[in-house]
Amino acid sequence: MQPDGIAGAAVAGGHPGFTLAQRLTVIVLCALAAWVAQRTAAVFHDGVRPFLLDFVQGRSTRRATATVSFGLSAGFVFGLGAPLALSTGVLNPWLVFLPTDVLGLVSPRRWLAAALGAAWGAVVVFGVGGADSLVHKLPVDFVTAMQQMATPILHLFALFPVLAVARQFGRLSGALCGVLELALTVMSLKLWPKIFPGSIAMAAGVLVLVGLALHRDMGRRGTADTGPGRPAGAEEDPTAGLFRAGALRLRSHLPLLMLLGAGVCLLCQAHVFGGGEASGFLIAKGDYGGAAQVDFYRALGFIPLIATTALASGAYGVAGFTLVYPVGYLLPGPWLALAAGALLFAAEVMLLSWAGRALGGLPSVRDASGQLRNAITETLHLAVLLGSLAAANAMGGGPGILVVGGLYLFNEATGRAVTRVAAAPAAVVAGGVLLNVLYWMHLFTPVAR
């Protein structure tokens, strides 16, 4: 069934076909994101947010802050965001929002930030489609080959809760969680073949992790309650004042952040945008429910990080807690998406101080969130590497593996100029270009399609 509203781009199989409404949504949202970044009200990259405090308080310059943002983001934009958009036909936050961080921070005027953001949005919606059409005409079609990345990303990603449980609660707990996930995956394949098989397994793994963490925290709290109380006159947490100031600053930007939430939710509802590597492939297949589950579980690993950095810096995330992604995927129409996104961001900002205090009292849950983030990174690194090598084999056989694997290993040996998770897809693109050059020099024969 064709989605309602502005959704319905021909994204399956990596062939993006954006409608006029979808293009305008991306362009306007990029302009808004850059404008918000220029005001230091929100940025997408979690690693940039802590540096904003120095800039807001006058201890750093706009240029220095923008340089930090560019250094942290460039590898993800060109090594991960662009290749994934080409291979799935679905946009992603690394391609859409990381450049708007840089453009907004580097702009001395708000109108310039908005103009540069809109220009980047136009580059994205017209450039991805144009590049896709061009690459499909090449003798070595590395974009089609990159669709080989889907299988390892989708299936290995489901294991991230197992890694998190094993790291935090030991090998036995991790092994039992792995057995549970395997059993549920096999059961899903047999009983519910139309459902993404890893979704139920991921849900069970995350519930196991959260349950174990809460059990440990409740046990500690019970022990603490029987012990001596807090001494009278104990000093307040030194971060509390900083967090209060950050919360007040965020609330002062609430209307602007609500507008941002509405735009992000609308883009997700269009089904031309995925919040992660796995969800992009699921959206391309039309499995919006599976994509919502994947991004919901992913959000659990990032909420504490986003909450603490937002409270410390007074700058929010462009996608908030990223809960707006699964909400947007599942909504039936654009007007509902606009309202839901705005209300969700309002609720997140108003509850931010409470979330910070709650997480402070649940150290095991907070640690579990960190373990989830690390596990997601590790599983995706392996999945993307395996998928990239499969893509190399599809586009060039042995020589393709040699070139792509060689570029990846060279990046590892020379200090990782490109971050690990982005290095392998970047190597596929670079390897595809090189193999086409070798073909035109009559030194390489493409693998038969």
Side-chain angles (χ1 to χ4, degrees):
M1 183 174 66
Q2 187 78 336
D4 296 331
I6 66 170
V11 297
H15 299 283
F18 302 113
T19 66
L20 176 60
Q22 291 162 355
R23 288 172 176 166
L24 290 175
T25 299
V26 174
I27 291 170
V28 172
L29 183 57
C30 285
L32 177 61
W35 188 50
V36 170
Q38 198 278 341
R39 299 185 62 176
T40 64
V43 291
F44 178 77
H45 200 304
D46 296 319
V48 173
R49 208 168 296 121
F51 291 93
L52 294 183
L53 182 61
D54 286 339
F55 173 63
V56 170
Q57 296 183 349
R59 295 191 299 268
S60 180
T61 64
R62 178 174 293 279
R63 181 176 181 180
T65 308
T67 300
V68 169
S69 179
F70 178 82
L72 292 174
S73 303
F76 285 100
V77 175
F78 300 107
L80 187 63
L84 282 176
L86 288 172
S87 61
T88 63
V90 177
L91 303 179
N92 56 72
W94 305 285
L95 182 64
V96 175
F97 295 133
L98 288 181
T100 59
D101 284 358
V102 179
L103 294 172
L105 291 173
V106 80
S107 299
R109 297 287 184 270
R110 293 176 187 174
W111 67 265
L112 180 59
L116 291 175
W120 175 252
V123 169
V124 168
V125 292
F126 291 102
V128 169
D132 180 83
S133 299
L134 175 63
V135 172
H136 283 304
K137 297 177 182 177
L138 295 175
V140 180
D141 182 358
F142 54 87
V143 167
T144 299
M146 287 181 69
Q147 293 171 20
Q148 298 291 325
M149 296 169 60
T151 299
I153 286 177
L154 290 175
H155 292 278
L156 281 176
F157 186 77
L159 292 176
F160 74 86
V162 178
L163 269 68
V165 169
R167 287 257 170 79
Q168 189 169 2
F169 298 101
R171 296 177 181 177
L172 179 59
S173 297
L176 292 175
C177 184
V179 170
L180 174 63
E181 283 209 14
L182 177 61
L184 290 173
T185 300
V186 172
M187 187 184 301
S188 298
L189 289 170
K190 289 292 185 181
L191 300 180
W192 307 289
K194 294 184 179 181
I195 298 176
F196 171 51
S199 59
I200 297 176
M202 276 189 293
V206 170
L207 286 174
V208 168
L209 176 66
V210 173
L212 290 172
L214 284 172
H215 181 265
R216 177 176 288 182
D217 282 335
M218 293 302 102
R220 287 174 175 170
R221 183 171 293 180
T223 303
D225 289 341
T226 61
R230 183 181 177 185
E235 293 185 2
E236 184 183 26
D237 183 350
T239 63
L242 178 64
F243 279 14
R244 277 196 297 270
L248 289 174
R249 186 173 189 271
L250 287 166
R251 290 177 184 179
S252 71
H253 290 298
L254 186 57
L256 184 59
L257 295 175
M258 290 176 65
L259 186 61
L260 187 62
V264 175
C265 196
L266 178 63
L267 185 62
C268 292
Q269 191 277 331
H271 299 145
V272 294
F273 177 92
E277 299 89 342
S279 55
F281 284 105
L282 288 169
I283 289 171
K285 293 168 59 178
D287 186 358
Y288 308 134
Q293 282 191 289
V294 166
D295 277 352
F296 175 75
Y297 303 138
R298 184 188 184 108
L300 296 179
F302 287 87
I303 287 175
L305 174 65
I306 295 169
T308 53
T309 56
L311 287 169
S313 66
Y316 204 40
V318 167
F321 285 157
T322 71
L323 295 172
V324 69
Y325 296 158
V327 170
Y329 303 153
L330 298 177
L331 290 176
W335 296 110
L336 188 58
L338 287 169
L343 292 175
L344 180 60
F345 266 44
E348 290 178 4
V349 171
M350 296 305 294
L351 293 173
L352 204 53
S353 295
W354 174 86
R357 290 193 300 271
L359 290 169
L362 297 171
S364 292
V365 172
R366 193 171 61 247
D367 291 345
S369 175
Q371 295 292 354
L372 279 176
R373 288 198 308 274
N374 293 334
I376 287 170
T377 300
E378 289 187 27
T379 52
L380 285 175
H381 170 245
L382 177 60
V384 168
L385 177 58
L386 292 175
S388 297
L389 291 175
N393 183 62
M395 73 180 181
I401 292 176
L402 174 66
V403 171
V404 172
L407 289 172
Y408 177 84
L409 292 173
F410 180 78
N411 183 69
E412 288 285 302
T414 54
R416 294 179 188 161
V418 180
T419 186
R420 291 183 78 185
V421 74
V428 175
V429 174
V433 173
L434 178 59
L435 291 177
N436 276 295
V437 172
L438 293 176
Y439 169 82
W440 289 322
M441 295 173 66
H442 304 288
L443 297 174
F444 172 73
T445 302
V447 175
R449 298 184 186 180

